[in-house]
Every structure is written in structure tokens, then in C-alpha cells.
Amino acid sequence: MIKDGMLKKGALTGQTILVTGGGTGLGKSMSSYFLTLGANVIIASRKADVLENAADELRSETGGNILAIPCDVRKYEELENVLKMGIDTFGGVDTLVNNAAGNFISPTERLSHKAFDVITDIVLKGSYNASLAFGKYWIKEKKPGIILNIVTTYAWTGSGYVVPSAAAKAGVLAMTRSLASEWAKYNIRSNAIAPGPFPTQGAWSRLFPEVLAKKLDPINRIPLKRYGEHQELANLAAYLVSDYSGYINGEVITIDGGEWIYGAGEFNMLDNVPSEMWDEIEKYTRNRKKE
Ligand code: HXC
Ligand code: NAP
């Protein structure tokens, strides 16, 4: 399993990248690798202390230029402020990674309307707020831009028990593809990554609490029988925000060890059939010509 960076040293030099939710989890791992590759990175989310600690850690780990800006992505003006601070500090912002999210598992009928709102506001409204603020700026300044949205594989299959998240991520995926068409004429590319399970404190505490994980180990759904490595996702993200992927636009790339396709395949549960039983089954399934 690869745990190394993939791109050439300096591959992102001169590029300034905003990662929403960049102070924790996958956002932090992507930010770390972008810094290693020479990018200036802005991390933005609600908790100023978490952001500052992450920025200090990443700065000393990578020696890169990182700016932490408190921001609630549900508020358009706060994203305009992030953009303004990015321009003042780094002379411009080239790339937006819509990574911030909120999620938890619950039977839908137990949700209050406020609970539904809070998830869709962070995920869908947060992503369109940022895309609109940055898109307007790139178009006005005649600057190329890159949008990378972090969705999930249930953005297209849907999933019970995370309905607000599924609805919001489906909206983000539709926006990814729509803007890829509409804004390509301004040299703005839009792509998405759909990760399967990658262990993070944020996701595990809300989606795979210990009491549940003991009964339903999510690893059993993954044909590669392991979770994703953060560096594997960071490598893909770095590629998609780099010029090496300059002809990729409107794409969603799945990185899930085959999880969603395994769940979709009609007969994949036959993995559980022991080989002795296959002898028995074969007796029944062969030579059925006379029937
Ligand atoms: C039911 C819940 C709930 C729960 C909150 N609510 N948690 N309802 N089950 N577990 C309800 C509350 O009762 C309230 O409604 C409403 O939601 C808002 O809750 P607040 O706590 O006031 O909201 P807020 O402080 O803004 O926090 C937002 C949050 C929180 C989404 C609820 O979990 C958060 O900050 N999350 C950010 C990080 C995160 O979620 N990371 C995971 C991403 S993982 P009422 O009506 O009672 O007032 C991911 C991966 C997907 O997306 C794929 C994995 C394979
Ligand atoms: P995480 O660490 O909980 O990341 C979520 C981030 O979003 C946090 O840093 C949080 O910071 C920020 N955030 C939440 N609400 C916000 C708001 N209103 N404004 C600004 N920032 C906000 O979880 P993660 O697992 O790394 O998830 C990162 C992304 O990957 C998400 O888009 C998630 O859906 C996606 N994903 C993860 C997995 C997985 O297995 N981990 C699988 C599929 C997809 P604050 O609390 O400081 O605001």
C-alpha cells in the first residue's frame, strides 16, 4: 500500500488553494500534501482554535505558507472575506476545495427539520456559496480557476440513514457537472472525488460509533478489505488540482476500494459461500439442459 506522495516536488508551486474544513480529517491531509508540493494553502472552518493548531502543526511539518481563517461556509459574506484575505496575503486564490461537511446517521423520521437544514446548509449551500464567490472573482479577473468537490459514493446511489447528506452530496455532484460545462469557457474546471471510508475522527464518531461498528464492521463491505489511506486521497486530490489533470473536467473519481460497486453487484454476496458448498451447488447448476 502506497503511503508516499505521487507528484513531482514543486508541482503546486505558485498556486494558492482554499480547503474548506481544512483543519481536520481529510481536509488536513490534503492541505498537508498541497503544502509539501509548494502550494500556499488557506484552511477555513468554524472553530478558530482547531484551525490555528492545525496551521501551526502543518507549517512546522512542511515549512509551507498556510493561513487559517475562521469561516462558516453557510454564510456567503464569510467566504467573500476568505477570498479577500487570500488575495491580500497571497495575491490571489487559484483553487477551491469544497471539503467542509456535516453528517450523522439517523432514521429520517427521527430528524427535526432543523437537523435536515443543518446538513444541507453546510454541504450544498456551503459548496455553492464558495463556488459562486470564487467563480465570480475568477471570471471578473479573467483568471483560470479549479474547483474540486469532495462528495461520497452515495451521491448517485442514495443511502438510507444519511438522507440529508445524500441529498446534499447529490446536489454538489450535479453542480460539479453543471459548472464544468458552463464555466469551461472561462477556463474554470470542476471535478469531484467520491471517497469510500477513510478513518477520520469526524466521520467515525458520527457514522460508525463503536456500538455499531462491533456489530456491522464496515470493512466487510469493501472488497479490498481495508480502509483508504489519507495519502491515497491526497495524491488524487493533488493531481486533480494540478495542471497535470488539465483536460479532466466534469468528472467524479471514486476512491473506495471497490465498495459501492461491490454493494451493487447482484451476486457478490456469494463471496460468503465456502468452497465445499460450491461442489454441491455445481451439482445442481450443471447439466440442466433437459429442463
Ligand atoms: C439526530 C441530530 C444529531 C444526531 C444533531 N442533530 N446531531 N439529530 N441525530 N446525531 C440535530 C440537533 O438536534 C439540531 O436539531 C440540529 O441537528 C442541529 O444540531 P446542532 O448541534 O445545533 O448543529 P451544529 O452545532 O451546527 O453542528 C452541526 C452538526 C455536527 C452537523 C450536527 O455534527 C458537526 O459540526 N459536524 C461537522 C463535522 C462532520 O459532521 N463530519 C463528518 C463528515 S463525514 P434541533 O431541532 O434538535 O435543534 C461524511 C462522510 C460520508 O460526510 C461518507 C462516509 C463513508
Ligand atoms: P471532518 O474531519 O469532520 O471534516 C469536516 C470539516 O468540515 C471539519 O473540519 C469542520 O470544521 C468543517 N465544517 C463543518 N461545518 C462547517 C461550516 N458550517 N463551515 C465551515 N466548515 C465546516 O470529516 P472528514 O471525514 O475529514 O470529511 C471531509 C470530507 O470528506 C467531507 O466532505 C466528507 O463528506 C467527505 N467524505 C469523508 C469520508 C470518510 O470516510 N472520512 C467518506 C466520504 C466522504 P469545523 O467544525 O471547525 O467547522
Side-chain angles (χ1 to χ4, degrees):
M1 191 193 326
I2 293 281
K3 293 190 181 178
D4 297 343
M6 177 181 85
L7 292 191
K8 283 185 221 160
K9 199 167 174 254
L12 300 180
T13 298
Q15 192 169 336
T16 298
I17 304 173
L18 165 64
V19 182
T20 67
T24 65
L26 296 177
K28 188 175 170 194
S29 298
M30 288 188 278
S31 298
S32 171
Y33 190 44
F34 296 161
L35 288 163
T36 303
L37 292 170
N40 304 314
V41 172
I42 304 167
I43 53 176
S45 75
R46 297 165 300 176
K47 299 187 189 108
D49 53 337
V50 172
L51 282 179
E52 280 304 339
N53 288 339
D56 287 346
E57 190 186 320
L58 293 178
R59 203 175 286 118
S60 64
E61 197 180 288
T62 65
N65 296 320
I66 179 164
L67 182 64
I69 310 177
C71 162
D72 186 334
V73 293
R74 292 171 290 189
K75 297 178 182 151
Y76 185 78
E77 316 73 53
E78 295 195 13
L79 283 151
E80 285 188 314
N81 178 54
V82 170
L83 177 57
K84 184 178 175 306
M85 287 179 73
I87 295 168
D88 292 348
T89 309
F90 298 120
V93 183
D94 308 285
T95 302
L96 163 65
V97 180
N98 281 313
N99 166 79
N103 202 357
F104 46 74
I105 45 169
S106 174
T108 306
E109 68 277 13
R110 290 172 67 111
L111 294 176
S112 68
H113 66 87
K114 200 176 148 203
F116 213 110
D117 285 347
V118 80
I119 302 302
T120 52
D121 281 356
I122 298 169
V123 175
L124 180 55
K125 188 174 181 184
S127 300
Y128 72 64
N129 275 342
S131 303
L132 191 62
F134 281 69
K136 280 175 185 284
Y137 152 71
W138 291 324
I139 293 165
K140 183 161 169 269
E141 298 295 322
K142 296 190 170 40
K143 270 172 77 72
I146 296 168
I147 300 173
L148 177 63
N149 295 320
I150 309 300
V151 295
T152 70
T153 51
Y154 59 64
W156 57 88
T157 61
S159 174
Y161 304 96
V162 284
V163 168
S165 170
K169 293 285 191 184
V172 175
L173 180 55
M175 188 173 69
T176 309
R177 291 172 168 152
S178 306
L179 289 180
S181 298
E182 189 182 336
W183 283 355
K185 60 180 174 285
Y186 301 118
N187 212 357
I188 298 169
R189 294 193 289 127
S190 288
N191 290 299
I193 295 178
F198 282 71
T200 66
Q201 167 67 22
W204 255 235
S205 61
R206 294 172 176 91
L207 302 168
F208 306 119
E210 213 174 311
V211 47
L212 198 62
K214 272 187 194 145
K215 288 194 174 169
L216 303 167
D217 188 347
I219 222 154
N220 293 330
R221 295 171 34 81
I222 306 170
L224 284 177
K225 294 286 177 254
R226 69 170 175 89
Y227 296 125
E229 273 291 324
H230 283 215
Q231 186 61 46
E232 292 177 309
L233 184 122
N235 281 339
L236 178 58
Y239 169 66
L240 288 174
V241 301
S242 77
D243 291 340
Y244 293 104
S245 63
Y247 203 50
I248 298 182
N249 185 30
E251 197 49 72
V252 54
I253 301 186
T254 301
I255 177 163
D256 73 342
E259 184 195 34
W260 92 262
I261 209 87
Y262 184 80
E266 180 82 31
F267 289 100
N268 290 336
M269 79 288 195
L270 296 182
D271 265 355
N272 297 322
V273 173
S275 61
E276 320 84 70
M277 202 189 281
W278 277 115
D279 296 339
E280 193 71 11
I281 291 169
E282 206 174 324
K283 279 188 213 154
Y284 286 99
T285 55
R286 275 185 182 274
N287 303 319
R288 313 305 295 185
K289 286 180 203 152
K290 289 181 203 127
E291 290 171 15

